[in-house]
Amino acid sequence: MLTRFFLIISLFPFLVVAQVQIKERIELNKHTSIAYHDSSDVYQGMSFDKSNNFTLNSTNVDTTTFLTLPYKSYVQVEILGGFAAGSHILYLRSHGDIVIVDNPLGNIGYLWESSVFPSGTELDFGLWFNGNPSIPPQWEFGAIRSPTSSTSYKFSFNDADYDRDYDDVIIEVEIFRVCEDYEPFYIESNLPQEYTITATSHFGVSLWLSNCLGELHYLNSNETFSAEIVQGFEYAELYNPVTMEFGTMLSEIAPVDNIAEFGFSSSVLELEEEVNIKIKISSVVPNTADYYFNLKMIPSLLKVYFEPETIMPGDTATLNFLVMDEGGVEVSPPEDMVFLVSVVDYPPNGRLFDPITEQDDFNLFGVKGGIKFIANEFIEEDTIECIIFAEEDSGPGGIGKIIQSNDNPSNIHATDANQPPEFFYLPLSGIGKIKIIKEINNCEEFACTNMNEPKPPTFEVNTMTPTEYSIQYGKDWCKVNPPSGLFKPLFERSHTTQTIPFVKDFEIEPCFNTSTNSWQPEVSGGSIKLNSVLGVCTDNLEGEDKILIDDFNDLVNLASDGADLCEILEDFEMHYNYDNFERSELKYVILPVIQKHEEIHKERFENLIKNDLMNSEVKINDNIPKQSFSDLFTYYQYACEGNFHDFNYVKNKFHEHFNDVINKLIPQIKIHYDEQTADPTNEYETHKDKRIRKIINDFIDQLEDLPNYNCIDAE
C-alpha cells in the first residue's frame, strides 16, 4: 500500500490534467430544444413569390394560429419582420390576451419568452390591427403556420381582408421542453462505461447528473456520489482527491461546481492476463439510477528496461522504453513520444537523471530513452528491487491509439453547449524493475564439479496410466478408438478445466566453469520430462469369454479350476504374431505382453528424439545461427560480468533460452512421431522385440510346469 500511495501522491499534481482533459469551463443553459412535431409536408398548397412571401392558393395550407404543447414547455417568440402599413399589437390570446409586443414591425428581432405551461396547453397567437381610415380595427384576417424545424414554427399574418399576401407580420415560435418533477436524473461521466485499461493505469473520473433533456443538473455540496468496486476489487483501488480517502469504496464524493471527481489506480502494477473490474456509482439525489463502469484490465503496453538489470549502491543504469504495437510486438516508441518517469519506492532508493535536459530528481518530465537511474550510496537491505513507473507524456496516441479505437470511443456524447465537454484519454504506462545489491556474487562460488564442456539435456517420458489420467484430468484415453493398450504423448491438453502440459516443469542449476570462465546450464536430474499416458485398457478386454492373466498365480488358479491348459497354450502361442495377438477371438490374454508392447513404443519415441531430432538443424531466431537442437541447448555460455554476477539472473536467462528451444522442438517431435505411427510396419516392428518374446516364453514355461499339463507344443 505504501508504494501505491507514494505513486499516487507523487503523480497527483498532473494526474487529472494529463488524463481527463476538460476543454473549457462549461456554461449552464436552463433549457434544451426538443423534437415533437411530425414533419409532414405542410407546404403543399403554398407557393412563393420573389420576396419569399407566402401566397394562399389551396385549402391544404395550415392556416391555424394555434399551437399545442406536447410536453411541459415554454416558448420563445421572435419578430422576423413584415410588410404591412399601419400599426399592430401581437397577443397571446389563449391566456388573457397577454401582450407579446406592441408595434412588432417597429421591434424586428425582438425576443419574447413565455412562462412555463403544462403539457397539452393550447396557445393562440393573435395579431390586432389598429386600423386606418378605410379599415376599422380588427383581429387578423388569417395566418399561415409553417414549420421551420422540429421544434419551431413560422406564423405569417394577414392583418385584413385586403391583399391576402400573408406577409404583414411574420413571427417565429420555438418550443422548449421543461422536465417534470417526477422524471429521473441520470449519472454521466467522462469515462465510457465500457473501457480497456492496463495494469499500471491511474486516472481521474468526473461525475455529474443530467436531467431528462441531458442538461447538467445543479448540485449542492451535500448531494454527493459514492463509488464502489463490486468486481475485481483485488486489482484496483479508488481515492478521493479532496479527502485523501483510499479504498475499494468511497462513500461521499462531493461535487465542486456541479462536477464530482474521484481517482482510480491499479493496485497490482503487473498482470499476466486480462481481468474484469466493475465499479458501481450511486447518488444521494432521489430518483437517480445507479451507474456502472465495466473495465477490462490488460497487461501494460509500455515496457521499461534497464541496462544492466542489477547494480550496486552508487552505480548507474540506463533506462529504455519499448511499446506494444497492435500485434502485441515490442517496438521502439514513436520519435515524438516522451515520457514522465518516477521512482515508485518510498523512501526512494535512487534518483533519475536526464543527460539531455539535465533534470535530476525522483520524477522526470518530457524525457526519452537513455535517461539514467542512479542508486543510493547506501541501502538498508542486502538486496532491494526498485520499481520505476513510466507514462506517456506527449498527448493522445497511447492506449487510445492502440486498443481503444474500436470499442472505446473517446466521446460518449455529441458535444453540446448544454453539456460538459467530455474527453477521456488514457496514456501508455508501465513499470520496470532494477535490483540493487550490496555485494556482487563471486561466480566461482558456483563452480562446476565437472569442468567438461556442457552437454545438452536428455528427454525422458513421464507416464501416467489411463486410469490416473482420467481421475485427475477427466479424459479417458481408452475410450478414444478403443485399444487394448496405448502409449499417448500428451501433445494436446485435455478439454476439461484442468490441463497438463506436454513438458513437465524443470529446473536449471547453472554452474560456473572455471576452465572456460563461463556459466553453463545443467538441468536438475539431468533430463527434461515429457508427459504421456501409457498402460493397458483392461475395460476394453474384459468380457464373458475373456480371461486376463497377469502372473503365474493366475495360471495356478486356472489349473485348479479345471481350465483347459491346451487351449491356454494355443492362445499363448498366438501372442507371438501381432495379427493373431490383435484378434478378438483370443480367450486368454497375457497382460504383461500388452504392457511391454506399449513400453517399447515409449522407448522408440525417446530414441526418435535422441537420435533423429536432437541432431536435426533449426533456426530459432535472428540472433542464433542455424544449428542442431543439441548445440542450441548449449549455445549460450555467459561470462561473469555485469548482470551475470547474479546467480538467479543467470538461471532465469538459461531457463528463457531453454524454453525458446523447446518451443521449436515440440512441433518437430510431433511431426516425426505422427510419421512414425503412420508407418504400417510400426506395430509389427514393435511387437518383434525380443523382450516381448521372452515374456511369452516365460508364461509358456510356467504353464508347462503345472502338474496336470499334458499338451503337445503347437509351435
Side-chain angles (χ1 to χ4, degrees):
M1 175 64 187
L2 186 60
T3 296
R4 300 198 302 275
F5 181 84
F6 177 75
L7 174 63
I8 295 168
I9 297 305
S10 64
L11 298 179
F12 192 78
F14 51 82
L15 182 62
V16 175
V17 175
Q19 298 181 349
V20 180
Q21 302 182 19
I22 300 298
K23 298 176 184 175
E24 60 186 58
R25 173 53 60 186
I26 59 175
E27 297 294 334
L28 301 181
N29 292 342
K30 65 179 182 179
H31 60 78
T32 295
S33 301
I34 53 94
Y36 82 95
H37 192 276
D38 182 10
S39 56
S40 58
D41 186 7
V42 297
Y43 292 103
Q44 182 179 1
M46 301 167 63
S47 62
F48 295 86
D49 60 22
K50 293 182 180 180
S51 62
N52 291 328
N53 297 328
F54 297 118
T55 301
L56 185 61
N57 57 16
S58 171
T59 56
N60 291 330
V61 174
D62 185 356
T63 57
T64 182
T65 58
F66 289 89
L67 196 61
T68 302
L69 302 179
Y71 302 101
K72 181 181 180 181
S73 316
Y74 68 94
V75 298
Q76 284 185 349
V77 178
E78 182 179 2
I79 309 303
L80 298 182
F83 300 95
S87 63
H88 308 77
I89 303 174
L90 183 66
Y91 284 90
L92 179 61
R93 280 189 299 230
S94 54
H95 291 274
D97 287 339
I98 298 173
V99 175
I100 295 176
V101 61
D102 189 3
N103 188 22
L105 296 183
N107 292 278
I108 295 174
Y110 175 76
L111 193 68
W112 176 83
E113 185 173 289
S114 75
S115 59
V116 176
F117 299 109
S119 173
T121 299
E122 188 175 69
L123 304 181
D124 178 21
F125 298 96
L127 183 69
W128 178 258
F129 177 48
N130 289 319
N132 58 36
S134 60
I135 303 174
Q138 60 182 284
W139 288 107
E140 76 278 356
F141 176 76
I144 296 175
R145 185 184 73 175
S146 57
T148 55
S149 75
S150 60
T151 59
S152 60
Y153 289 83
K154 182 186 291 184
F155 288 84
S156 301
F157 291 92
N158 195 64
D159 59 8
D161 188 9
Y162 179 67
D163 53 10
R164 300 190 184 186
D165 55 5
Y166 291 89
D167 64 355
D168 295 333
V169 175
I170 304 171
I171 67 172
E172 186 172 39
V173 179
E174 186 168 4
I175 304 170
F176 295 91
R177 180 181 173 186
V178 176
C179 292
E180 301 281 2
D181 294 339
Y182 60 81
E183 292 189 272
F185 294 103
Y186 302 94
I187 297 174
E188 296 196 73
S189 174
N190 63 324
L191 174 65
Q193 285 189 272
E194 306 285 337
Y195 207 71
T196 299
I197 62 176
T198 68
T200 48
S201 293
H202 57 279
F203 48 84
V205 180
S206 298
L207 303 171
W208 61 90
L209 289 187
S210 294
N211 63 14
C212 68
L213 304 177
E215 300 169 347
L216 188 68
H217 175 62
Y218 289 88
L219 290 171
N220 299 320
S221 60
N222 61 346
E223 292 181 315
T224 59
F225 296 86
S226 64
E228 180 183 6
I229 302 177
V230 295
Q231 179 184 348
F233 49 81
E234 65 268 38
Y235 300 105
E237 63 184 352
L238 310 175
Y239 56 95
N240 188 325
V242 177
T243 65
M244 297 311 297
E245 177 187 1
F246 289 78
T248 58
M249 180 175 180
L250 303 177
S251 56
E252 293 186 359
I253 308 171
V256 177
D257 293 335
N258 302 298
I259 306 293
E261 293 181 337
F262 72 93
F264 172 97
S265 178
S266 166
S267 59
V268 290
L269 294 183
E270 291 183 299
L271 198 66
E272 293 184 358
E273 57 185 5
E274 69 179 47
V275 297
N276 294 315
I277 298 173
K278 191 172 191 176
I279 303 175
K280 175 184 176 182
I281 306 296
S282 301
S283 170
V284 300
V285 176
N287 206 22
T288 302
D290 292 337
Y291 188 86
Y292 290 89
F293 296 114
N294 295 295
L295 307 178
K296 179 171 67 175
M297 181 184 285
I298 64 173
S300 297
L301 300 176
L302 174 64
K303 307 296 181 182
V304 182
Y305 290 100
F306 294 88
E307 180 58 41
E309 296 177 344
T310 302
I311 59 176
M312 294 183 69
D315 285 351
T316 299
T318 302
L319 279 75
N320 281 298
F321 309 102
L322 291 176
V323 298
M324 306 291 287
D325 67 8
E326 293 88 341
V329 178
E330 292 184 357
V331 297
S332 298
E335 183 64 29
D336 60 347
M337 184 176 287
V338 293
F339 300 93
L340 173 149
V341 187
S342 179
V343 179
V344 175
D345 308 66
Y346 189 79
N349 291 295
R351 69 184 194 278
L352 301 166
F353 175 72
D354 182 13
I356 299 176
T357 63
E358 297 187 350
Q359 295 180 72
D360 190 343
D361 203 343
F362 305 122
N363 303 300
L364 301 185
F365 300 81
V367 299
K368 297 185 178 183
I371 63 174
K372 308 297 181 181
F373 172 81
I374 305 170
N376 291 348
E377 294 286 346
F378 173 78
I379 60 174
E380 294 184 359
E381 307 293 333
D382 291 337
T383 301
I384 289 178
E385 190 173 62
C386 187
I387 300 175
I388 304 297
F389 173 83
E391 179 176 88
E392 180 190 1
D393 193 27
S394 56
I399 189 173
K401 180 177 181 181
I402 293 178
I403 62 173
Q404 309 293 0
S405 57
N406 293 325
D407 61 342
N408 293 332
S410 61
N411 290 288
I412 53 176
H413 300 292
T415 302
D416 190 288
N418 301 305
Q419 295 186 11
E422 304 117 28
F423 178 65
F424 191 87
Y425 163 65
L426 190 60
L428 288 171
S429 61
I431 66 165
K433 296 180 180 180
I434 185 169
K435 188 177 293 183
I436 308 172
I437 58 177
K438 286 185 177 180
E439 295 183 5
I440 298 292
N441 292 329
N442 183 354
C443 298
E444 294 185 2
E445 295 177 11
F446 303 94
C448 301
T449 56
N450 186 336
M451 299 301 171
N452 295 331
E453 287 292 318
K455 295 181 179 180
T458 59
F459 286 85
E460 295 182 6
V461 176
N462 177 68
T463 62
M464 304 174 68
T465 67
T467 300
E468 290 171 340
Y469 189 90
S470 177
I471 292 173
Q472 189 169 355
Y473 297 104
K475 182 170 183 176
D476 189 351
W477 287 102
C478 285
K479 292 182 178 178
V480 180
N481 298 321
S484 56
L486 67 88
F487 166 68
K488 174 70 177 177
L490 294 174
F491 297 114
E492 307 89 3
R493 297 186 172 204
S494 67
H495 300 287
T496 63
T497 54
Q498 301 187 64
T499 60
I500 179 171
F502 179 46
V503 180
K504 288 194 70 174
D505 292 337
F506 60 92
E507 289 291 330
I508 293 180
E509 295 296 331
C511 66
F512 189 73
N513 191 324
T514 56
S515 298
T516 60
N517 287 321
S518 62
W519 292 95
Q520 61 188 45
E522 291 184 2
V523 176
S524 296
S527 64
I528 297 175
K529 304 294 192 300
L530 307 177
N531 284 313
S532 70
V533 177
L534 185 151
V536 180
C537 296
T538 54
D539 289 347
N540 296 338
L541 296 169
E542 292 175 344
E544 295 181 0
D545 59 343
K546 295 286 186 183
I547 297 175
L548 308 183
I549 299 172
D550 197 29
D551 53 31
F552 180 67
N553 291 328
D554 291 337
L555 288 177
V556 173
N557 292 334
L558 285 171
S560 63
D561 291 340
D564 186 343
L565 301 186
C566 295
E567 184 182 4
I568 295 175
L569 174 63
E570 182 178 349
D571 278 3
F572 280 4
E573 289 177 341
M574 292 179 70
H575 280 62
Y576 288 115
N577 186 289
Y578 180 73
D579 283 333
N580 293 333
F581 172 63
E582 281 292 282
R583 285 171 55 192
S584 60
E585 290 84 354
L586 282 178
K587 179 178 181 179
Y588 297 97
V589 179
I590 304 173
L591 296 180
V593 171
I594 301 175
Q595 179 71 22
K596 181 56 67 177
H597 181 97
E598 304 306 332
E599 289 174 357
I600 294 170
H601 276 312
K602 170 194 155 192
E603 290 180 12
R604 296 188 70 192
F605 177 67
E606 290 174 330
N607 290 333
L608 175 72
I609 299 172
K610 177 181 178 182
N611 299 328
D612 296 341
L613 286 172
M614 291 297 284
N615 294 322
S616 61
E617 292 190 342
V618 70
K619 186 174 178 65
I620 64 170
N621 59 48
D622 293 335
N623 299 321
I624 301 176
K626 184 177 182 180
Q627 54 193 288
S628 69
F629 281 107
S630 292
D631 292 336
L632 282 170
F633 279 110
T634 58
Y635 180 81
Y636 284 117
Q637 297 178 42
Y638 304 108
C640 184
E641 58 187 19
N643 291 328
F644 293 97
H645 282 96
D646 185 349
F647 176 81
N648 288 325
Y649 181 83
V650 174
K651 184 175 181 177
N652 290 337
K653 281 295 183 182
F654 275 132
H655 205 279
E656 290 174 5
H657 176 62
F658 269 48
N659 280 332
D660 288 342
V661 178
I662 289 171
N663 287 337
K664 285 287 186 178
L665 179 59
I666 289 175
Q668 296 300 315
I669 293 176
K670 188 174 189 310
I671 290 172
H672 283 69
Y673 176 71
D674 289 344
E675 291 175 352
Q676 185 184 71
T677 55
D679 186 346
T681 66
N682 178 53
E683 294 293 347
Y684 295 96
E685 293 299 322
T686 300
H687 206 70
K688 286 180 181 179
D689 191 281
K690 60 183 180 181
R691 288 168 292 180
I692 291 180
R693 189 173 188 85
K694 184 178 184 306
I695 293 172
I696 299 170
N697 289 341
D698 288 345
F699 270 87
I700 290 176
D701 289 344
Q702 292 169 359
L703 179 66
E704 291 175 345
D705 289 341
L706 293 173
N708 53 344
Y709 177 81
N710 60 356
C711 302
I712 299 175
D713 193 344
E715 185 181 16

